[in-house]
Amino acid sequence: MTDTETAITPAPRRDALDSRDLTAPQRSVDAFVNDFMRELNYGQGVSLARSSVNDQYLALARTVRHHLQARWMTTLVKQWDLQAKTVCYLSAEYLLGRQLDNALLASDMDDIVEEGLGQLGMTLGTLRGQEIEPGLGNGGLGRLAACFIDSLATMSVPCIGYGIRYEYGIFRQTFVDGWQVEQSDPWLALGNPWEFPHPENSVRVQFGGHTEKVTDDNGVERSTWVPEWDVQGVPYNYMVPGYRNGRVNTLRLWSATATRAFDLASFNSGDYVDAVRGQTFAEKISAVLYPEDSTPQGKELRLQQQYFFVACSLHDFIDQVLPPEFDLRLLPERAIFQLNDTHPVIAVPELMRILMDEKGFEWADAWAITQQCFAYTCHTLLPEALEVWPVEVLGRLLPRHLEIVYRINDDFLDGVRARFPGDEMRMRRMSIIAEFPERSVRMAYLATVAGAKVNGVAELHSQLLRDKVLPDFSDYWPDKFTNVTNGVTPRRFVRLANRQLSNLITEAIGPGWVTDLDRLEELEPFADDASFRERFRAVKKADKVRLAKLLRTRDSIELPTDMMLDIMVKRLHEYKRQTLKLLHIVTLYQQVISGEVAVEDITPRVFAFGAKAAPGYRMAKEIIGLINAVGRTVNEDKRLEGRLNVVFPANYNVTLAEKLIPAADLSEQISLAGKEASGTGNMKLALNGALTIGTDDGANIEIRRLVGDDNFFLFGLVEPEVEALQTAGYHPASYYEKDPTLRAAIDLIASGAFSGDGQYSFEPVVSNLLNDDRFLVLADYAAYLEAQTRVDAAYADPDRWSRSAILNVARCGFFSSDRAMRDYIDRIWHTPPVLDD
C-alpha cells in the first residue's frame, strides 16, 4: 500500500458532468423568496415563525450559493474539456473573511436579497452578522492567499487553492486585565453552509516507519517506504467566485480523520477512551492553525500538518484533476505548484517520491519534471522565520523523504563544486543540510533549488532576498529570482468594506475600477474639487460613526468620531515596532501631566491597535499588556478627555478590518527598514484614504513613490544605515541617556505609572528597549516624533489633508491583487486566462 492512495472508491470523474444539469436559479425577488423559504422549510426543517436567526442565515447562504453553483459546474466542465494549465496554490493559511457578502457581490444579488428579506420581515444586516468568519490564517500571509485566489477567479485563470480545514483555526483573542488570553475558535459550531465535503475522495497519508531496498522486475534496486501509521484526508470544497464574470474556481481544504475511527472491540470491552483513540490522534493534525511549537511535540505536529496537506493536494491533482492515463512527463504543462512560503516545501520530495516510487520514473526524469512544477514565494527577511527541520524529526516522520532530500542536496552540491572548485565554504553555505547547531534541512534552500522561480513580495524585499538572504543562490542562478509586489483585492477591501467611498468613486469615474484598479487615477482631478473633498470627508466621518457603533456593541468601547483616527493593525511582532507607537503615546501623556505641553495644544487623536501575539511569544504578550495598561490610564485621565484616547479591540480579524480600515485617517507602517517583506495593510489603508506615516521598508517605498512625498510622512533610518549602525555596534541606552524626552517616557513606564497598583513596571519591555532593542526603536524615536509633528500640521488643514487622502486613493491602483496576478502569470506561471468563447 502506498502512502497516498484513495481510501474510498472515487466519485464519478469530472468528465461525467452533464451540462444539462447546470440550470441556474431564476433571478427575481419572487423567485428568491420561494427559494429561501424552500431552504428554510426543507433544508433547515423549520417554519419561518419558529426559525432562529441562525436558521435564517443558513437558509440565506444556501439560497445565494445556488446562484453560484451552476457557474461552478460550468467552470469545472470547461476546465475538464480544455485541460488548461492550472495554478495550484499551496498555502497553510487562507484568511477568507465572511463569505455571504462576497457571494452576493459576485452574483449581483444584493438588491434582490434586500428586498426579498424585507418582504419576509428580515434584514440582511441581521443575518450578515450571524456569520462567523473562518479563522484559517494568522495575518498577512493568509489574507494574501485569499486575495490572490479571488483575483485569479475574477481574471478567469484556472486555479485550485489547497490548504487545511482547521477545526479551530487561529485562536480567539480575549483580554483579561489587559493581558492576552487565547481561547479556541469553534467557527464550525453553528454550521458552515459554504463548504462541500467529499469523503468519497479521501486520501490516505502515511507517516513514520522505515525504508527498505528492493529490486524491481527490471533488476534495478530501489528504495521503498514501509510506513508505520496513517491518517485520512477528507476534502472540503469551497467556491471562489470571480466578480460577475461567470467563473467560479475551487478552494480545497483538507481535514484529517482516522483510517479506523472507532474500535468496536475496545468499546465493547469497556475501554471507551481507547475505542476513539485513533480518531483523536488523527484529528489533532487539522485541529489548530500553527500549534505552539516550543515543545518537541508541537514541532512534530507542525511537520505532520505540512506534509498532510501537500500529500493530499498532490495526490488529488494527479488522480482526480488530471485525466486518466495522463502522461506525467507533461505535468509542467498542466500545473504550477506555488509554494506560499516554506510551509508547503515538503511537497518537493513528495512529488519526487510519487513519480519514482508510485509511477516508476527514474531519478533524472522525475527531477526534471519536479524542477518545472514548483515556484517559491519567500515572505520574510528574518532568519528565524526561514523554516528548518531537524533531520532527526524529519527522518522519524518521513524517512523516504529525507533520503530524497539528501540525494537532491548531493546532486546540487556536485554542480556547485564543479562551478566553484575548491570553495568549500560556499558549499557549506549553500548546502540544503545545515550542520549547526543541529543537523537540519533548510526548507527555503530546498525550495530555491527545486523551484523554477523564486520571488520576493516588494522591490526592496526582493533585492534583499537576492543580496542578503540567498546571495549565493542568486549568484548561482541570477535569472531564477524575480519580484512580484503584493496586492489586495479591491472587491473586498474597497467595494465591500467601504460602500460609501465605492459609490463616490463610481459616481465620479464609473464602475470599471472594480476590476481595473488603474482607473482610480481618473480621480486625481477631483482632489482639487472643493465639493468632492467635502463629500470625501463626509464619507470618512460616516465610516467612523459605523465603526463606533460596531465597537460599542462588540467590545463595549466608546470611540470618539470627531478626532483623528490613528491606527496600527498588524500581527504583534517586535520588528513591526508597536513599541515605537506606544512610546509616542506615552510621550504625549507625559508632556501633558508634567505641564510641559498644554492639553489644548495636542491634536485630538484616537490611537487604535489591532494585534494578536503568538501564544508562545512572551515579549509580544508583554507589549500587548503594556498597550492596554497605557490605554487604560490615558482613557481614565479626565485631563485628556477629548484629546487622547486609546482603543484596542480584542480579536482583530478580517470582519473588524473591513470596518476599521475605511475609518482610518493615519496608517502606521513603522517597521524597521529592511525587516518587513511587503505589508498589505499599508495598501488597504491607502486605498481607503488613510495617509501613511512610515519608514522606507517593504511596499512603503512603492506607496511613497506613487503617492508622492507630499502625501506620505517618511521618517527613520534606511536599510543601509540600519546595517551600518548594527555593524558598528548599537547601544540603545546611549539614545536614552542623551534624549530627555525619550528618557522621560521610558522612566514613566518603569515607574509603574501604568501598572495600576504600581507593583508591576513592565520590566521585560523596559529592559529589552534599553539593553537589546534589536529593531532600533530608540534609534528611530526622535525622527518618528518629528514626523508626527508634520502629521499634526497637515491634519490641522482639512482641505490639505483631504486632498492628500484623495490622491492616495487615486495613485494606489497599482496595489490591486489583479495586477500582482498578472505579474505572476507573466514572470512565473505562464497560465493564461480561459475566457468564454
Side-chain angles (χ1 to χ4, degrees):
M1 181 177 293
T2 60
D3 75 320
T4 51
E5 66 181 41
T6 304
I8 301 175
T9 303
R13 300 189 61 96
R14 286 162 174 76
D15 56 345
L17 289 168
D18 190 330
S19 61
R20 292 172 297 180
D21 299 329
L22 310 179
T23 303
Q26 294 182 358
R27 292 175 56 85
S28 70
V29 174
D30 288 343
F32 166 76
V33 170
N34 288 336
D35 291 345
F36 174 83
M37 289 304 302
R38 185 180 302 111
E39 277 294 335
L40 190 66
N41 296 155
Y42 299 108
Q44 286 302 108
V46 294
S47 66
L48 181 59
R50 302 282 294 177
S51 62
S52 67
V53 173
N54 196 60
D55 289 324
Q56 295 163 12
Y57 160 69
L58 293 173
L60 172 61
R62 293 192 181 102
T63 303
V64 172
R65 82 180 190 183
H66 291 167
H67 289 266
L68 296 174
Q69 282 178 267
R71 303 178 195 179
W72 194 23
M73 297 300 104
T74 300
T75 298
L76 292 172
V77 169
K78 180 183 290 187
Q79 181 63 10
W80 181 264
D81 291 341
L82 294 178
Q83 290 294 307
K85 188 173 182 180
T86 299
V87 177
C88 299
Y89 201 80
L90 302 178
S91 179
E93 298 185 34
Y94 289 94
L95 205 53
L96 299 172
R98 288 175 171 173
Q99 296 297 289
L100 176 59
D101 277 338
N102 195 57
L104 288 171
L105 180 67
S107 58
D108 196 16
M109 288 282 291
D110 308 63
D111 294 338
I112 289 174
V113 169
E114 285 269 20
E115 185 175 344
L117 290 176
Q119 291 183 8
L120 296 170
M122 306 175 198
T123 65
L124 178 56
T126 298
L127 302 193
R128 180 187 287 131
Q130 184 66 19
E131 182 176 359
I132 300 173
E133 73 169 74
L136 304 179
N138 185 42
L141 185 77
R143 187 51 241 174
L144 187 76
C147 286
F148 282 3
I149 61 176
D150 171 90
S151 284
L152 289 170
T154 295
M155 298 166 65
S156 296
V157 175
C159 172
I160 303 174
Y162 284 112
I164 300 177
R165 179 183 178 266
Y166 302 101
E167 185 176 0
Y168 296 103
I170 188 66
F171 61 86
R172 184 182 297 276
Q173 181 193 53
T174 60
F175 294 138
V176 176
D177 296 327
W179 297 92
Q180 174 178 295
V181 174
E182 302 88 28
Q183 297 180 344
S184 62
D185 180 18
W187 65 280
L188 292 165
L190 296 178
N192 179 17
W194 303 105
E195 63 183 15
F196 298 82
H198 285 281
E200 75 281 4
N201 288 331
S202 294
V203 174
R204 183 167 293 173
V205 181
Q206 298 184 325
F207 296 89
H210 62 278
T211 62
E212 295 177 351
K213 299 295 183 182
V214 297
T215 302
D216 65 16
D217 295 340
N218 298 318
V220 178
E221 186 179 73
R222 294 182 179 273
S223 186
T224 186
W225 184 14
V226 183
E228 182 180 6
W229 57 277
D230 57 29
V231 300
Q232 197 161 275
V234 178
Y236 286 75
N237 292 338
Y238 289 69
M239 294 182 290
V240 183
Y243 179 74
R244 302 179 185 176
N245 66 343
R247 186 171 188 93
V248 180
N249 283 337
T250 300
L251 171 63
R252 187 159 297 138
L253 303 179
W254 299 95
S255 180
T257 63
T259 50
R260 187 185 179 201
F262 185 73
D263 187 337
L264 184 60
S266 294
F267 186 86
N268 287 338
S269 69
D271 194 342
Y272 306 129
V273 173
D274 191 62
V276 295
R277 191 181 306 278
Q279 185 68 3
T280 303
F281 183 79
E283 286 179 349
K284 77 179 189 303
I285 291 177
S286 58
V288 177
L289 170 68
Y290 297 153
E292 211 283 302
D293 64 350
S294 61
T295 65
Q297 297 91 335
K299 285 186 173 65
E300 187 168 313
L301 180 55
R302 281 207 185 189
L303 182 56
Q304 291 172 13
Q305 284 187 337
Q306 293 176 9
Y307 177 66
F308 165 76
F309 101 83
V310 300
C312 287
S313 303
L314 291 175
H315 183 272
D316 175 79
F317 191 83
I318 291 171
D319 288 349
Q320 290 294 319
V321 178
L322 295 176
E325 310 304 324
F326 179 81
D327 185 352
L328 287 174
R329 288 173 297 182
L330 303 178
L331 185 59
E333 298 177 17
R334 276 289 284 114
I336 180 72
F337 295 97
Q338 184 65 37
L339 304 170
N340 192 29
D341 220 355
T342 51
H343 310 117
V345 172
I346 195 66
V348 171
E350 171 63 4
L351 181 58
M352 287 291 291
R353 189 200 62 77
I354 292 172
L355 292 173
M356 292 189 301
D357 298 0
E358 296 184 14
K359 306 299 182 182
F361 281 79
E362 296 300 324
W363 177 274
D365 294 333
W367 183 237
I369 294 167
T370 297
Q371 282 187 297
Q372 298 176 73
C373 284
F374 288 101
Y376 164 52
T377 300
C378 178
H379 286 279
T380 187
L381 291 168
L382 300 178
E384 64 267 26
L386 294 172
E387 233 172 5
V388 296
W389 285 111
V391 162
E392 186 276 329
V393 175
L394 187 59
R396 177 158 37 84
L397 275 180
L398 303 169
R400 177 63 176 133
H401 298 73
L402 182 59
E403 286 184 349
I404 292 169
V405 171
Y406 278 147
R407 173 72 184 274
I408 292 171
N409 192 48
D410 289 343
D411 289 357
F412 166 61
L413 292 181
D414 285 344
V416 175
R417 187 177 291 108
R419 186 165 166 186
F420 300 98
D423 193 345
E424 288 304 314
M425 290 306 298
R426 182 183 295 267
M427 299 272 294
R428 291 174 65 87
R429 292 196 307 268
M430 296 183 73
S431 175
I432 295 170
I433 307 299
E435 302 294 343
F436 182 83
E438 63 179 328
R439 203 150 205 254
S440 304
V441 178
R442 298 190 270 210
M443 303 306 280
Y445 288 19
L446 176 59
T448 302
V449 171
K453 287 286 186 179
V454 176
N455 73 281
V457 290
E459 288 179 2
L460 176 63
H461 173 248
S462 294
Q463 190 62 48
L464 294 175
L465 182 65
R466 287 188 292 263
D467 295 347
K468 296 191 174 182
V469 180
L470 299 169
D472 292 314
F473 293 90
S474 176
D475 185 35
Y476 193 71
W477 286 305
D479 294 336
K480 181 176 283 197
F481 288 77
T482 188
N483 172 64
V484 178
T485 299
N486 284 342
V488 301
T489 170
R491 269 77 61 185
R492 181 173 289 275
F493 286 105
V494 184
R495 179 62 180 80
L496 283 178
N498 203 339
R499 294 170 190 266
Q500 291 199 48
L501 179 60
S502 296
N503 292 338
L504 183 62
I505 295 171
T506 297
E507 182 181 326
I509 66 173
W513 63 272
V514 179
T515 53
D516 182 7
L517 208 59
D518 288 337
R519 287 195 57 190
L520 288 181
E521 65 187 15
E522 298 171 29
L523 281 176
E524 279 216 33
F526 291 91
D528 294 316
D529 183 326
S531 65
F532 189 86
R533 292 197 299 268
E534 185 175 355
R535 296 177 66 191
F536 186 89
R537 288 194 293 270
V539 167
K540 186 65 72 173
K541 175 71 174 196
D543 287 333
K544 290 181 181 179
V545 170
R546 180 183 64 158
L547 174 63
K549 181 180 178 181
L550 172 70
L551 294 182
R552 184 179 301 117
T553 303
R554 179 187 186 270
D555 302 277
S556 298
I557 289 174
E558 290 298 326
L559 179 79
T561 60
D562 55 353
M563 300 162 68
M564 180 200 302
L565 184 56
D566 176 351
I567 80 165
M568 188 170 189
V569 286
K570 50 187 79 246
R571 179 169 54 91
L572 203 304
H573 195 288
E574 288 167 271
Y575 84 83
K576 295 177 183 288
R577 303 203 296 188
Q578 283 91 347
T579 46
L580 183 56
K581 175 76 262 172
L582 187 62
L583 283 174
H584 175 222
I585 300 170
V586 172
T587 295
L588 292 175
Y589 178 69
Q590 190 278 330
Q591 289 174 335
V592 169
I593 64 174
S594 68
E596 183 180 341
V597 174
V599 69
E600 58 269 19
D601 292 336
I602 292 180
T603 300
R605 290 203 203 199
V606 176
F607 302 99
F609 291 88
K612 290 182 178 180
Y617 192 172
R618 181 174 176 80
M619 182 55 66
K621 287 187 167 184
E622 292 278 349
I623 293 168
I624 285 178
L626 180 55
I627 292 171
N628 279 321
V630 170
R632 181 173 59 248
T633 302
V634 169
N635 295 345
E636 291 175 355
D637 194 322
K638 297 299 182 183
R639 291 170 291 184
L640 295 166
E641 190 170 349
R643 290 289 169 175
L644 295 182
N645 190 267
V646 181
V647 299
F648 194 162
N651 204 47
Y652 181 72
N653 56 14
V654 176
T655 302
L656 179 56
E658 290 171 358
K659 300 296 190 298
L660 209 162
I661 287 172
D665 293 305
L666 186 67
S667 165
E668 299 274 352
Q669 308 299 330
I670 58 177
S671 54
L672 178 64
K675 298 302 179 184
E676 183 71 81
S678 170
T680 52
N682 48 6
M683 303 170 188
K684 296 164 193 167
L685 284 154
L687 281 166
N688 279 276
L691 274 60
T692 303
I693 181 170
T695 53
D696 256 346
D697 194 28
N700 289 356
I701 296 171
E702 289 149 275
I703 292 175
R704 181 171 65 87
R705 185 171 65 233
L706 288 167
V707 305
D709 287 338
D710 291 342
N711 306 301
F712 187 107
F713 302 100
L714 177 67
F715 77 95
L717 299 168
V718 295
E719 192 277 331
E721 293 172 332
V722 169
E723 182 180 27
L725 179 57
Q726 291 176 327
T727 300
Y730 172 56
H731 304 288
S734 66
Y735 291 83
Y736 166 84
E737 294 293 345
K738 68 185 180 185
D739 186 337
T741 305
L742 173 60
R743 186 166 62 250
I746 292 180
D747 286 351
L748 190 62
I749 297 171
S751 72
F754 304 110
S755 304
D757 57 10
Q759 294 180 354
Y760 186 77
S761 56
F762 295 98
E763 175 59 28
V765 178
V766 173
S767 292
N768 179 266
L769 286 173
L770 293 177
N771 300 308
D772 183 18
D773 191 19
R774 178 182 170 195
F775 300 105
L776 311 192
V777 170
L778 303 195
D780 269 347
Y781 168 83
Y784 180 56
L785 259 60
E786 186 278 328
Q788 290 288 0
T789 64
R790 287 184 273 129
V791 170
D792 290 338
Y795 194 74
D797 183 345
D799 269 336
R800 173 188 170 189
W801 187 276
S802 299
R803 183 180 186 277
S804 291
I806 293 166
L807 290 175
N808 266 260
V809 177
R811 294 174 178 175
C812 281
F814 173 81
F815 297 107
S816 169
S817 51
D818 299 350
R819 185 272 316 152
M821 292 299 90
R822 287 194 297 271
D823 289 348
Y824 272 97
I825 291 166
D826 292 343
R827 301 171 190 175
I828 300 173
W829 297 337
H830 310 297
T831 51
V834 175
L835 302 174
D836 291 333
D837 298 330

